[in-house]
Amino acid sequence: MKPIEQSNETLVRRIIAGAREHRLLAERQAREGARSVELLDGRYVLKQFAYASGERPARRPWQREHAALMHLNDTSLPVSVGYVADTNSSGLRVSYLRGFVQGEPLDQFDATSVVEAGELLASLHARGVVTDDALTQNFMRAPDGRLFFLDFGKSRIFGPGNPLLIVWIALEHCRFLRASIGGDTGLWSLFRTAYFRALGRGRGFERLVRACSRLVLWQRRLRGRS
């Protein structure tokens, strides 16, 4: 197994060890290992990933989230502190730490929030970050009313001019249509109009994304019939 790299180990361990309050927010068994999320002293979010001995963590979401937040370097998003790994006879445990941002997950999209989502994803894609997880519950409403995206554990970063960015934007759009707005083409039209206006990449780029989206949807329809 490829060794688990660590990031900002000393600070991460100091914050975790010094926290007076650990409040469990969620825990579940994932396809790869067990996961839990805790709130530390109302200031930090601790995500832990536990793998049994011999289990291989292929996805490594802590690396993806840390890389995306560091790349975006956006004051409206959580500050990524870093991650550490510990191995013993029972297996591997990775602890990822980031700042806490107050907000409530959206329950569903409407004509207003879907436009905000389009503008928000455009701002991320313009900086080369595709979330690959644009689900309703990952969009958060801050106390000041702004919409922000929270979970970058599946995200991908693309350099300027990388043609794969177009493909992954199309995949993101199609997943948003299917999983976040239930196939509502009216909301999707509002979303994409707001998205391309905010992205500002020109009609050529827009046509490529729309063409890729049609291909993705066509392939999914074929798979659904087989």
Side-chain angles (χ1 to χ4, degrees), residues 106 108-122 134 136 139 141 147 173 176-177 180-182 184-198:
L106 289 187
Q108 62 181 19
F109 282 101
D110 57 23
T112 299
S113 57
V114 80
V115 169
E116 294 177 280
E119 294 170 345
L120 174 56
L121 288 181
T136 308
F139 290 86
R141 182 72 69 187
L147 192 70
H173 282 200
F176 185 83
L177 169 66
S180 294
I181 56 176
D184 188 320
T185 55
L187 289 179
W188 200 40
S189 177
L190 290 173
F191 164 82
R192 296 215 290 178
T193 298
Y195 173 88
F196 289 117
R197 182 176 60 244

mmCIF file of all heavy atoms in Angstrom, residues 106 108-122 134 136 139 141 147 173 176-177 180-182 184-198:
data_model
loop_
_atom_site.group_PDB
_atom_site.id
_atom_site.type_symbol
_atom_site.label_atom_id
_atom_site.label_comp_id
_atom_site.label_asym_id
_atom_site.label_seq_id
_atom_site.Cartn_x
_atom_site.Cartn_y
_atom_site.Cartn_z
ATOM 1 N N LEU A 106 -29.202 22.729 2.589
ATOM 2 C CA LEU A 106 -30.465 22.943 1.887
ATOM 3 C C LEU A 106 -31.319 21.679 1.933
ATOM 4 O O LEU A 106 -30.801 20.567 1.877
ATOM 5 C CB LEU A 106 -30.207 23.307 0.425
ATOM 6 C CG LEU A 106 -29.611 24.686 0.105
ATOM 7 C CD1 LEU A 106 -29.614 24.891 -1.404
ATOM 8 C CD2 LEU A 106 -30.376 25.802 0.790
ATOM 9 N N GLN A 108 -34.062 21.452 -0.298
ATOM 10 C CA GLN A 108 -34.354 21.267 -1.716
ATOM 11 C C GLN A 108 -34.087 22.569 -2.457
ATOM 12 O O GLN A 108 -33.953 23.635 -1.843
ATOM 13 C CB GLN A 108 -35.806 20.842 -1.928
ATOM 14 C CG GLN A 108 -36.824 21.867 -1.460
ATOM 15 C CD GLN A 108 -38.256 21.384 -1.662
ATOM 16 O OE1 GLN A 108 -38.500 20.198 -1.810
ATOM 17 N NE2 GLN A 108 -39.201 22.320 -1.691
ATOM 18 N N PHE A 109 -33.994 22.468 -3.763
ATOM 19 C CA PHE A 109 -33.751 23.647 -4.593
ATOM 20 C C PHE A 109 -35.058 24.214 -5.118
ATOM 21 O O PHE A 109 -36.006 23.477 -5.405
ATOM 22 C CB PHE A 109 -32.840 23.292 -5.767
ATOM 23 C CG PHE A 109 -31.391 23.176 -5.392
ATOM 24 C CD1 PHE A 109 -30.814 21.927 -5.202
ATOM 25 C CD2 PHE A 109 -30.612 24.302 -5.210
ATOM 26 C CE1 PHE A 109 -29.480 21.800 -4.859
ATOM 27 C CE2 PHE A 109 -29.279 24.203 -4.855
ATOM 28 C CZ PHE A 109 -28.714 22.947 -4.680
ATOM 29 N N ASP A 110 -35.091 25.539 -5.233
ATOM 30 C CA ASP A 110 -36.201 26.216 -5.891
ATOM 31 C C ASP A 110 -35.619 27.139 -6.958
ATOM 32 O O ASP A 110 -34.420 27.119 -7.232
ATOM 33 C CB ASP A 110 -37.053 26.986 -4.875
ATOM 34 C CG ASP A 110 -36.266 28.019 -4.070
ATOM 35 O OD1 ASP A 110 -35.193 28.463 -4.549
ATOM 36 O OD2 ASP A 110 -36.711 28.376 -2.966
ATOM 37 N N ALA A 111 -36.466 27.956 -7.568
ATOM 38 C CA ALA A 111 -36.030 28.786 -8.682
ATOM 39 C C ALA A 111 -34.964 29.803 -8.288
ATOM 40 O O ALA A 111 -34.161 30.220 -9.123
ATOM 41 C CB ALA A 111 -37.232 29.506 -9.295
ATOM 42 N N THR A 112 -34.937 30.185 -7.008
ATOM 43 C CA THR A 112 -33.935 31.148 -6.546
ATOM 44 C C THR A 112 -32.620 30.460 -6.196
ATOM 45 O O THR A 112 -31.543 30.851 -6.666
ATOM 46 C CB THR A 112 -34.455 31.920 -5.317
ATOM 47 O OG1 THR A 112 -35.629 32.642 -5.677
ATOM 48 C CG2 THR A 112 -33.407 32.902 -4.810
ATOM 49 N N SER A 113 -32.708 29.410 -5.376
ATOM 50 C CA SER A 113 -31.481 28.753 -4.911
ATOM 51 C C SER A 113 -30.763 28.011 -6.028
ATOM 52 O O SER A 113 -29.538 27.863 -5.992
ATOM 53 C CB SER A 113 -31.782 27.809 -3.748
ATOM 54 O OG SER A 113 -32.740 26.842 -4.103
ATOM 55 N N VAL A 114 -31.497 27.559 -7.052
ATOM 56 C CA VAL A 114 -30.838 26.844 -8.137
ATOM 57 C C VAL A 114 -29.979 27.805 -8.964
ATOM 58 O O VAL A 114 -28.925 27.421 -9.500
ATOM 59 C CB VAL A 114 -31.877 26.104 -9.016
ATOM 60 C CG1 VAL A 114 -32.545 27.037 -10.011
ATOM 61 C CG2 VAL A 114 -31.241 24.924 -9.724
ATOM 62 N N VAL A 115 -30.401 29.062 -9.049
ATOM 63 C CA VAL A 115 -29.580 30.082 -9.717
ATOM 64 C C VAL A 115 -28.313 30.349 -8.903
ATOM 65 O O VAL A 115 -27.200 30.447 -9.453
ATOM 66 C CB VAL A 115 -30.392 31.380 -9.914
ATOM 67 C CG1 VAL A 115 -29.482 32.526 -10.341
ATOM 68 C CG2 VAL A 115 -31.483 31.156 -10.954
ATOM 69 N N GLU A 116 -28.466 30.427 -7.579
ATOM 70 C CA GLU A 116 -27.297 30.605 -6.711
ATOM 71 C C GLU A 116 -26.327 29.443 -6.849
ATOM 72 O O GLU A 116 -25.109 29.640 -6.861
ATOM 73 C CB GLU A 116 -27.743 30.721 -5.255
ATOM 74 C CG GLU A 116 -28.563 31.949 -4.935
ATOM 75 C CD GLU A 116 -29.030 31.933 -3.485
ATOM 76 O OE1 GLU A 116 -30.032 31.239 -3.200
ATOM 77 O OE2 GLU A 116 -28.381 32.568 -2.647
ATOM 78 N N ALA A 117 -26.866 28.227 -6.952
ATOM 79 C CA ALA A 117 -26.014 27.046 -7.105
ATOM 80 C C ALA A 117 -25.242 27.090 -8.414
ATOM 81 O O ALA A 117 -24.060 26.733 -8.463
ATOM 82 C CB ALA A 117 -26.860 25.774 -7.035
ATOM 83 N N GLY A 118 -25.899 27.534 -9.475
ATOM 84 C CA GLY A 118 -25.216 27.664 -10.749
ATOM 85 C C GLY A 118 -24.068 28.647 -10.687
ATOM 86 O O GLY A 118 -22.961 28.384 -11.183
ATOM 87 N N GLU A 119 -24.302 29.776 -10.039
ATOM 88 C CA GLU A 119 -23.250 30.784 -9.898
ATOM 89 C C GLU A 119 -22.118 30.282 -9.003
ATOM 90 O O GLU A 119 -20.935 30.549 -9.269
ATOM 91 C CB GLU A 119 -23.856 32.068 -9.329
ATOM 92 C CG GLU A 119 -24.846 32.743 -10.278
ATOM 93 C CD GLU A 119 -25.631 33.869 -9.627
ATOM 94 O OE1 GLU A 119 -25.622 33.962 -8.378
ATOM 95 O OE2 GLU A 119 -26.266 34.652 -10.369
ATOM 96 N N LEU A 120 -22.486 29.539 -7.955
ATOM 97 C CA LEU A 120 -21.479 29.014 -7.033
ATOM 98 C C LEU A 120 -20.583 27.981 -7.708
ATOM 99 O O LEU A 120 -19.352 28.049 -7.614
ATOM 100 C CB LEU A 120 -22.173 28.396 -5.815
ATOM 101 C CG LEU A 120 -21.298 27.665 -4.795
ATOM 102 C CD1 LEU A 120 -20.202 28.578 -4.265
ATOM 103 C CD2 LEU A 120 -22.151 27.132 -3.662
ATOM 104 N N LEU A 121 -21.181 27.022 -8.403
ATOM 105 C CA LEU A 121 -20.373 26.012 -9.078
ATOM 106 C C LEU A 121 -19.520 26.637 -10.182
ATOM 107 O O LEU A 121 -18.382 26.211 -10.412
ATOM 108 C CB LEU A 121 -21.257 24.905 -9.644
ATOM 109 C CG LEU A 121 -21.876 23.957 -8.614
ATOM 110 C CD1 LEU A 121 -22.712 22.888 -9.309
ATOM 111 C CD2 LEU A 121 -20.804 23.300 -7.744
ATOM 112 N N ALA A 122 -20.051 27.649 -10.843
ATOM 113 C CA ALA A 122 -19.255 28.342 -11.863
ATOM 114 C C ALA A 122 -18.001 28.966 -11.250
ATOM 115 O O ALA A 122 -16.921 28.926 -11.853
ATOM 116 C CB ALA A 122 -20.107 29.415 -12.546
ATOM 117 N N ALA A 134 -22.093 17.234 -6.199
ATOM 118 C CA ALA A 134 -23.004 18.377 -6.097
ATOM 119 C C ALA A 134 -24.402 17.936 -5.682
ATOM 120 O O ALA A 134 -25.380 18.105 -6.411
ATOM 121 C CB ALA A 134 -23.051 19.141 -7.414
ATOM 122 N N THR A 136 -27.686 18.007 -2.970
ATOM 123 C CA THR A 136 -28.404 19.075 -2.267
ATOM 124 C C THR A 136 -27.834 19.330 -0.884
ATOM 125 O O THR A 136 -27.601 20.478 -0.490
ATOM 126 C CB THR A 136 -29.896 18.726 -2.145
ATOM 127 O OG1 THR A 136 -30.409 18.394 -3.426
ATOM 128 C CG2 THR A 136 -30.683 19.898 -1.582
ATOM 129 N N PHE A 139 -24.801 21.677 -0.253
ATOM 130 C CA PHE A 139 -24.949 23.125 -0.391
ATOM 131 C C PHE A 139 -25.482 23.663 0.928
ATOM 132 O O PHE A 139 -26.518 23.214 1.418
ATOM 133 C CB PHE A 139 -25.902 23.471 -1.533
ATOM 134 C CG PHE A 139 -25.353 23.174 -2.898
ATOM 135 C CD1 PHE A 139 -25.478 21.902 -3.455
ATOM 136 C CD2 PHE A 139 -24.709 24.157 -3.622
ATOM 137 C CE1 PHE A 139 -24.975 21.624 -4.716
ATOM 138 C CE2 PHE A 139 -24.197 23.893 -4.886
ATOM 139 C CZ PHE A 139 -24.327 22.613 -5.432
ATOM 140 N N ARG A 141 -26.485 26.976 3.598
ATOM 141 C CA ARG A 141 -26.940 28.364 3.706
ATOM 142 C C ARG A 141 -26.337 28.964 4.971
ATOM 143 O O ARG A 141 -26.592 28.519 6.079
ATOM 144 C CB ARG A 141 -28.455 28.420 3.777
ATOM 145 C CG ARG A 141 -29.028 29.826 3.845
ATOM 146 C CD ARG A 141 -28.895 30.557 2.525
ATOM 147 N NE ARG A 141 -29.749 30.001 1.485
ATOM 148 C CZ ARG A 141 -29.702 30.382 0.207
ATOM 149 N NH1 ARG A 141 -28.823 31.312 -0.184
ATOM 150 N NH2 ARG A 141 -30.511 29.827 -0.697
ATOM 151 N N LEU A 147 -24.950 31.283 -0.075
ATOM 152 C CA LEU A 147 -24.882 29.842 -0.319
ATOM 153 C C LEU A 147 -23.417 29.457 -0.504
ATOM 154 O O LEU A 147 -22.671 30.151 -1.210
ATOM 155 C CB LEU A 147 -25.673 29.483 -1.575
ATOM 156 C CG LEU A 147 -25.950 27.996 -1.807
ATOM 157 C CD1 LEU A 147 -26.952 27.460 -0.780
ATOM 158 C CD2 LEU A 147 -26.480 27.781 -3.229
ATOM 159 N N HIS A 173 -22.841 18.659 -14.005
ATOM 160 C CA HIS A 173 -24.155 19.178 -14.367
ATOM 161 C C HIS A 173 -25.203 18.060 -14.393
ATOM 162 O O HIS A 173 -26.311 18.221 -13.863
ATOM 163 C CB HIS A 173 -24.095 19.853 -15.739
ATOM 164 C CG HIS A 173 -23.482 21.218 -15.701
ATOM 165 N ND1 HIS A 173 -23.680 22.144 -16.697
ATOM 166 C CD2 HIS A 173 -22.678 21.814 -14.794
ATOM 167 C CE1 HIS A 173 -23.030 23.259 -16.408
ATOM 168 N NE2 HIS A 173 -22.407 23.078 -15.261
ATOM 169 N N PHE A 176 -26.085 16.846 -10.964
ATOM 170 C CA PHE A 176 -26.937 17.837 -10.310
ATOM 171 C C PHE A 176 -28.377 17.680 -10.789
ATOM 172 O O PHE A 176 -29.318 17.717 -9.985
ATOM 173 C CB PHE A 176 -26.418 19.238 -10.607
ATOM 174 C CG PHE A 176 -27.159 20.333 -9.886
ATOM 175 C CD1 PHE A 176 -26.839 20.666 -8.585
ATOM 176 C CD2 PHE A 176 -28.190 21.024 -10.517
ATOM 177 C CE1 PHE A 176 -27.532 21.679 -7.913
ATOM 178 C CE2 PHE A 176 -28.883 22.024 -9.859
ATOM 179 C CZ PHE A 176 -28.552 22.350 -8.551
ATOM 180 N N LEU A 177 -28.564 17.499 -12.100
ATOM 181 C CA LEU A 177 -29.909 17.305 -12.663
ATOM 182 C C LEU A 177 -30.585 16.086 -12.046
ATOM 183 O O LEU A 177 -31.751 16.141 -11.634
ATOM 184 C CB LEU A 177 -29.810 17.139 -14.177
ATOM 185 C CG LEU A 177 -31.082 16.675 -14.893
ATOM 186 C CD1 LEU A 177 -32.175 17.736 -14.798
ATOM 187 C CD2 LEU A 177 -30.780 16.344 -16.355
ATOM 188 N N SER A 180 -29.952 16.181 -7.485
ATOM 189 C CA SER A 180 -30.274 17.350 -6.666
ATOM 190 C C SER A 180 -31.599 18.010 -7.022
ATOM 191 O O SER A 180 -32.237 18.609 -6.159
ATOM 192 C CB SER A 180 -29.143 18.393 -6.757
ATOM 193 O OG SER A 180 -27.952 17.886 -6.170
ATOM 194 N N ILE A 181 -31.997 17.927 -8.280
ATOM 195 C CA ILE A 181 -33.269 18.561 -8.660
ATOM 196 C C ILE A 181 -34.225 17.555 -9.302
ATOM 197 O O ILE A 181 -35.208 17.954 -9.935
ATOM 198 C CB ILE A 181 -33.050 19.781 -9.580
ATOM 199 C CG1 ILE A 181 -32.252 19.408 -10.820
ATOM 200 C CG2 ILE A 181 -32.371 20.896 -8.819
ATOM 201 C CD1 ILE A 181 -32.087 20.569 -11.803
ATOM 202 N N GLY A 182 -33.931 16.270 -9.129
ATOM 203 C CA GLY A 182 -34.863 15.225 -9.523
ATOM 204 C C GLY A 182 -35.284 15.227 -10.980
ATOM 205 O O GLY A 182 -36.416 14.881 -11.315
ATOM 206 N N ASP A 184 -35.758 17.807 -12.894
ATOM 207 C CA ASP A 184 -36.602 18.952 -13.237
ATOM 208 C C ASP A 184 -35.884 19.800 -14.291
ATOM 209 O O ASP A 184 -34.960 20.555 -13.981
ATOM 210 C CB ASP A 184 -36.882 19.776 -11.980
ATOM 211 C CG ASP A 184 -37.906 20.882 -12.213
ATOM 212 O OD1 ASP A 184 -37.863 21.524 -13.272
ATOM 213 O OD2 ASP A 184 -38.740 21.118 -11.309
ATOM 214 N N THR A 185 -36.304 19.688 -15.550
ATOM 215 C CA THR A 185 -35.607 20.388 -16.629
ATOM 216 C C THR A 185 -35.798 21.899 -16.568
ATOM 217 O O THR A 185 -34.963 22.654 -17.076
ATOM 218 C CB THR A 185 -36.078 19.858 -17.996
ATOM 219 O OG1 THR A 185 -37.501 19.961 -18.070
ATOM 220 C CG2 THR A 185 -35.665 18.403 -18.174
ATOM 221 N N GLY A 186 -36.886 22.348 -15.947
ATOM 222 C CA GLY A 186 -37.079 23.790 -15.779
ATOM 223 C C GLY A 186 -36.043 24.388 -14.853
ATOM 224 O O GLY A 186 -35.431 25.420 -15.161
ATOM 225 N N LEU A 187 -35.825 23.723 -13.716
ATOM 226 C CA LEU A 187 -34.800 24.186 -12.780
ATOM 227 C C LEU A 187 -33.410 24.050 -13.387
ATOM 228 O O LEU A 187 -32.541 24.895 -13.175
ATOM 229 C CB LEU A 187 -34.883 23.402 -11.472
ATOM 230 C CG LEU A 187 -36.079 23.685 -10.568
ATOM 231 C CD1 LEU A 187 -36.026 22.813 -9.317
ATOM 232 C CD2 LEU A 187 -36.136 25.160 -10.169
ATOM 233 N N TRP A 188 -33.212 22.982 -14.148
ATOM 234 C CA TRP A 188 -31.904 22.774 -14.777
ATOM 235 C C TRP A 188 -31.591 23.868 -15.780
ATOM 236 O O TRP A 188 -30.457 24.322 -15.892
ATOM 237 C CB TRP A 188 -31.860 21.394 -15.440
ATOM 238 C CG TRP A 188 -30.475 20.880 -15.683
ATOM 239 C CD1 TRP A 188 -29.408 20.984 -14.842
ATOM 240 C CD2 TRP A 188 -29.997 20.172 -16.823
ATOM 241 N NE1 TRP A 188 -28.304 20.369 -15.376
ATOM 242 C CE2 TRP A 188 -28.649 19.856 -16.605
ATOM 243 C CE3 TRP A 188 -30.607 19.746 -18.003
ATOM 244 C CZ2 TRP A 188 -27.872 19.154 -17.517
ATOM 245 C CZ3 TRP A 188 -29.832 19.034 -18.924
ATOM 246 C CH2 TRP A 188 -28.483 18.745 -18.688
ATOM 247 N N SER A 189 -32.610 24.322 -16.508
ATOM 248 C CA SER A 189 -32.422 25.413 -17.456
ATOM 249 C C SER A 189 -32.010 26.693 -16.729
ATOM 250 O O SER A 189 -31.099 27.416 -17.163
ATOM 251 C CB SER A 189 -33.701 25.643 -18.254
ATOM 252 O OG SER A 189 -33.566 26.736 -19.132
ATOM 253 N N LEU A 190 -32.674 26.989 -15.597
ATOM 254 C CA LEU A 190 -32.302 28.156 -14.799
ATOM 255 C C LEU A 190 -30.874 28.016 -14.266
ATOM 256 O O LEU A 190 -30.091 28.977 -14.285
ATOM 257 C CB LEU A 190 -33.266 28.316 -13.629
ATOM 258 C CG LEU A 190 -34.700 28.742 -13.950
ATOM 259 C CD1 LEU A 190 -35.563 28.678 -12.694
ATOM 260 C CD2 LEU A 190 -34.722 30.143 -14.545
ATOM 261 N N PHE A 191 -30.555 26.811 -13.797
ATOM 262 C CA PHE A 191 -29.216 26.537 -13.261
ATOM 263 C C PHE A 191 -28.153 26.792 -14.320
ATOM 264 O O PHE A 191 -27.167 27.497 -14.076
ATOM 265 C CB PHE A 191 -29.157 25.082 -12.763
ATOM 266 C CG PHE A 191 -27.780 24.558 -12.532
ATOM 267 C CD1 PHE A 191 -27.103 24.834 -11.349
ATOM 268 C CD2 PHE A 191 -27.147 23.784 -13.500
ATOM 269 C CE1 PHE A 191 -25.819 24.346 -11.137
ATOM 270 C CE2 PHE A 191 -25.859 23.300 -13.292
ATOM 271 C CZ PHE A 191 -25.200 23.576 -12.107
ATOM 272 N N ARG A 192 -28.344 26.240 -15.498
ATOM 273 C CA ARG A 192 -27.294 26.344 -16.512
ATOM 274 C C ARG A 192 -27.204 27.747 -17.108
ATOM 275 O O ARG A 192 -26.110 28.202 -17.459
ATOM 276 C CB ARG A 192 -27.514 25.285 -17.586
ATOM 277 C CG ARG A 192 -27.376 23.880 -17.013
ATOM 278 C CD ARG A 192 -26.758 22.929 -17.991
ATOM 279 N NE ARG A 192 -27.627 22.630 -19.099
ATOM 280 C CZ ARG A 192 -27.276 21.839 -20.124
ATOM 281 N NH1 ARG A 192 -26.069 21.309 -20.159
ATOM 282 N NH2 ARG A 192 -28.125 21.590 -21.094
ATOM 283 N N THR A 193 -28.326 28.431 -17.211
ATOM 284 C CA THR A 193 -28.265 29.814 -17.678
ATOM 285 C C THR A 193 -27.432 30.662 -16.717
ATOM 286 O O THR A 193 -26.559 31.437 -17.139
ATOM 287 C CB THR A 193 -29.678 30.403 -17.802
ATOM 288 O OG1 THR A 193 -30.412 29.664 -18.776
ATOM 289 C CG2 THR A 193 -29.624 31.869 -18.213
ATOM 290 N N ALA A 194 -27.702 30.513 -15.418
ATOM 291 C CA ALA A 194 -26.938 31.251 -14.406
ATOM 292 C C ALA A 194 -25.480 30.803 -14.404
ATOM 293 O O ALA A 194 -24.558 31.627 -14.264
ATOM 294 C CB ALA A 194 -27.548 31.037 -13.024
ATOM 295 N N TYR A 195 -25.253 29.506 -14.574
ATOM 296 C CA TYR A 195 -23.898 28.960 -14.551
ATOM 297 C C TYR A 195 -23.038 29.552 -15.669
ATOM 298 O O TYR A 195 -21.946 30.079 -15.422
ATOM 299 C CB TYR A 195 -23.950 27.428 -14.681
ATOM 300 C CG TYR A 195 -22.597 26.804 -14.831
ATOM 301 C CD1 TYR A 195 -21.848 26.446 -13.721
ATOM 302 C CD2 TYR A 195 -22.041 26.599 -16.095
ATOM 303 C CE1 TYR A 195 -20.576 25.893 -13.857
ATOM 304 C CE2 TYR A 195 -20.778 26.050 -16.246
ATOM 305 C CZ TYR A 195 -20.053 25.689 -15.122
ATOM 306 O OH TYR A 195 -18.787 25.157 -15.261
ATOM 307 N N PHE A 196 -23.505 29.469 -16.905
ATOM 308 C CA PHE A 196 -22.687 29.926 -18.028
ATOM 309 C C PHE A 196 -22.521 31.444 -18.021
ATOM 310 O O PHE A 196 -21.468 31.954 -18.440
ATOM 311 C CB PHE A 196 -23.296 29.444 -19.346
ATOM 312 C CG PHE A 196 -23.155 27.965 -19.571
ATOM 313 C CD1 PHE A 196 -24.275 27.157 -19.667
ATOM 314 C CD2 PHE A 196 -21.900 27.384 -19.652
ATOM 315 C CE1 PHE A 196 -24.140 25.795 -19.866
ATOM 316 C CE2 PHE A 196 -21.752 26.016 -19.846
ATOM 317 C CZ PHE A 196 -22.870 25.216 -19.949
ATOM 318 N N ARG A 197 -23.531 32.173 -17.544
ATOM 319 C CA ARG A 197 -23.388 33.613 -17.427
ATOM 320 C C ARG A 197 -22.290 33.971 -16.429
ATOM 321 O O ARG A 197 -21.451 34.845 -16.677
ATOM 322 C CB ARG A 197 -24.718 34.244 -17.007
ATOM 323 C CG ARG A 197 -24.663 35.772 -16.906
ATOM 324 C CD ARG A 197 -26.013 36.366 -16.575
ATOM 325 N NE ARG A 197 -26.525 35.863 -15.300
ATOM 326 C CZ ARG A 197 -27.620 35.132 -15.182
ATOM 327 N NH1 ARG A 197 -28.335 34.807 -16.253
ATOM 328 N NH2 ARG A 197 -28.030 34.722 -13.991
ATOM 329 N N ALA A 198 -22.273 33.268 -15.285
ATOM 330 C CA ALA A 198 -21.266 33.540 -14.254
ATOM 331 C C ALA A 198 -19.882 33.058 -14.672
ATOM 332 O O ALA A 198 -18.870 33.670 -14.331
ATOM 333 C CB ALA A 198 -21.682 32.881 -12.943
#
